[in-house]
Amino acid sequence: MISVSGKNWIERKVNKNSVEKIKQDYMFNEILSKLIVSRNFDEDEISNINNNLKIINIFKNDSDFKGASEILNISIRNNEKICILGDYDADGTVATSLLVRYFNYIKQPHFYYIPDRVKDGYGATKKLFQKLILNQPKLVIMVDCGSTSNEAIDFLNENKIKSIILDHHEINKPYPKSNIIINPKKKNTYDEDIYLCATSLTYFFLDYFIKKNNSNFRIDKYLIYVLLATVCDVMPLRKINKIIASNVIKNFRINDNAVFKFIFDQLGLSKQFSIEDLGFLIGPIINSGGRLGFSNYGTELLTTDDPKLIQKRSIELIKLNEKRKILEQNILDEIDYEKINKQNQKVIIYYNANINEGLIGIIAARLKDYFNKPSIVITKSNKILKASARSTKDYNIGKLIKLLIEKKIIQNGGGHNMAAGFSLKKENVLLLDNFIQKDYKKNIKDLETVFRYDAEISATSINTNLFNEINKLGPFGNGNILPIFLIKNVKILKSNIVSESHVNVIIKPHIGTSIKAICFNCANTKVGQYLLSYKKQINIIAQITENSWNNKKSLQLNIKDLILSVN
């Protein structure tokens, strides 16, 4: 079915026998059973639907954790100064904050550094360490970076400075000669630790270390930080991440954390937070400093208990995020979506020399979501080009970076399955495009870009009972998205633009009561035009959500697309 936005929608296929077995074994209804089968939930994940599972440290017998613990212990016993180097995104910022929190608690001499995106570039480099060693650290802990920093680690070794890497990006042999590298990607297996971001690895390392040393530090107070980084770094909310998310949603209280309380109060949000709040509100605020030249603001905010500094940094970051929104929308408005659609490339490569390099990751994510294709956005940065990539679940963009470096198409870079960044020369853009398109066709069998909805439902079935059944699979996020449904034969009773870019809608089914709906960031799209003017019956692709306003909750549809006719 081709939608008004030109997308091809089909229903997600599942094995009917498997659905029946889930229904019989667990007494779930048809929709829930179908969703479980289509998402390939294992027995532990199904068990978690109706049970509250405890968070278990899966690294309690890990040799790298043991080795890193021994190195850290020596530094602490000898009162050695420790340097923490984190990435400038939310994951690096939050992972750094966990270590700072612990070192503050035990009064360990330390300092941290979050690189400036433009001045320093990404991650651990020899040039950066030449500056940082002037502070005379005896141990450097790298979080969310370091896995490809061979030259930088060699420099530390030459200066007799120990190092620990806590990272989840792709890593290639020969590994950096760090004292210890904690990175699940060193293995060729797909255990559940492959789902973890750098903050999760840092959390479990500190949990391991604290228990080994009988410390009273309450690392579990900062589990909310782990979920924040997990959501912002687009890690799958499956297996251990889903257990973490469930525990945080159930147990975390906004008033228990001064930073979250202040930001929620400033934004006028309900004290009952959601995954969406972390991904679309809190995360972008924490990230905004790193995007717009104030990379240390996020860590300063998350590591202080000073009410005045919390207020100051929160307000500054909120203002930076508002600036980011304006810049982002201006860029999105300039993109010719129809031209990109007609080019019909399997991987979208968009070059605009004038984009702020702090925003290329966001724009790549927007293009990926809109076209359901891996997307790379490139901009000019001094004498070179910088690029940021976001991918779909079936194409590992992090592994692609290794190939591009080996072929000397790009100068450097790094990433994981869903996201990557790299630098290249302008004359190599066409070479990059050709190589990536060929690589995609070589590795992806199904080259037809399709969008899938989970099931067809009637508008009259949309009620609290259905919403509660669906929510048993939550919390929702990457790898476990909120289900998408086809709802046929509704009419648009009323529609209006809100916040300049969204469209509020009231739809009426043939039978039953009207339903409130919203379509985000669509006012200037074909979908938005139809919502604002179309008066005949139409079919919608939508998710069922809950809207909270003035402490009142009501069901609301999140419209993803429109289809004029269904065969």
Side-chain angles (χ1 to χ4, degrees), residues 23 31 88 115 174 223 231 236 244 266 398 432 488 490 556 559:
K23 287 169 63 177
I31 289 289
Y88 40 63
L223 199 62
V231 172
I244 290 171
Q266 282 293 113
L432 172 82
K488 291 182 179 179
V490 298
Q556 175 179 272
I559 296 175

Side-chain angles (χ1 to χ4, degrees), residues 196-336:
L196 300 177
C197 63
T199 299
S200 299
L201 294 170
T202 304
Y203 177 91
F204 283 120
F205 172 66
L206 284 173
D207 177 70
Y208 177 97
F209 186 83
I210 288 163
K211 287 174 180 174
K212 286 288 183 182
N213 292 277
N214 298 313
S215 173
N216 293 321
F217 183 72
R218 289 282 309 280
I219 186 67
D220 58 300
K221 283 173 53 180
Y222 302 102
L223 199 62
I224 179 64
Y225 286 12
V226 179
L227 183 57
L228 172 64
T230 297
V231 172
C232 290
D233 223 41
V234 204
M235 293 292 101
L237 279 191
R238 298 290 299 269
K239 299 182 182 293
I240 192 167
N241 284 342
K242 193 166 181 294
I243 295 171
I244 290 171
S246 297
N247 275 267
V248 172
I249 294 293
K250 180 182 177 183
N251 298 316
F252 179 71
R253 298 293 176 267
I254 297 295
N255 288 338
D256 293 340
N257 185 289
V259 171
F260 277 78
K261 183 180 185 302
F262 184 84
I263 293 177
F264 268 63
D265 286 344
Q266 282 293 113
L267 299 179
L269 299 175
S270 163
K271 290 297 189 291
Q272 186 63 45
F273 85 102
S274 66
I275 296 292
E276 288 74 22
D277 291 333
L278 295 180
F280 296 108
L281 297 173
I282 305 300
I285 289 170
I286 300 298
N287 255 330
S288 62
R291 295 192 185 282
L292 297 177
F294 300 89
S295 56
N296 61 319
Y297 276 17
T299 305
E300 285 184 17
L301 176 62
L302 296 176
T303 56
T304 186
D305 294 316
D306 179 358
K308 290 183 179 179
L309 186 56
I310 288 173
Q311 178 177 335
K312 179 178 171 60
R313 285 290 179 258
S314 294
I315 291 173
E316 287 168 333
L317 285 168
I318 289 170
K319 287 180 179 178
L320 283 171
N321 191 47
E322 290 303 312
K323 179 181 178 181
R324 186 271 306 169
K325 288 180 185 177
I326 295 170
L327 293 172
E328 176 190 336
Q329 193 58 52
N330 290 340
I331 296 166
L332 292 173
D333 288 344
E334 291 179 1
I335 295 174
D336 190 337

Side-chain angles (χ1 to χ4, degrees), residues 139-165:
L139 170 65
V140 175
I141 303 176
M142 286 153 272
V143 288
D144 202 31
C145 61
S147 288
T148 58
S149 301
N150 297 56
E151 182 188 33
I153 306 302
D154 288 343
F155 175 76
L156 292 181
N157 292 335
E158 290 166 6
N159 286 273
K160 298 180 180 180
I161 298 172
K162 296 170 290 187
S163 61
I164 296 171
I165 294 173

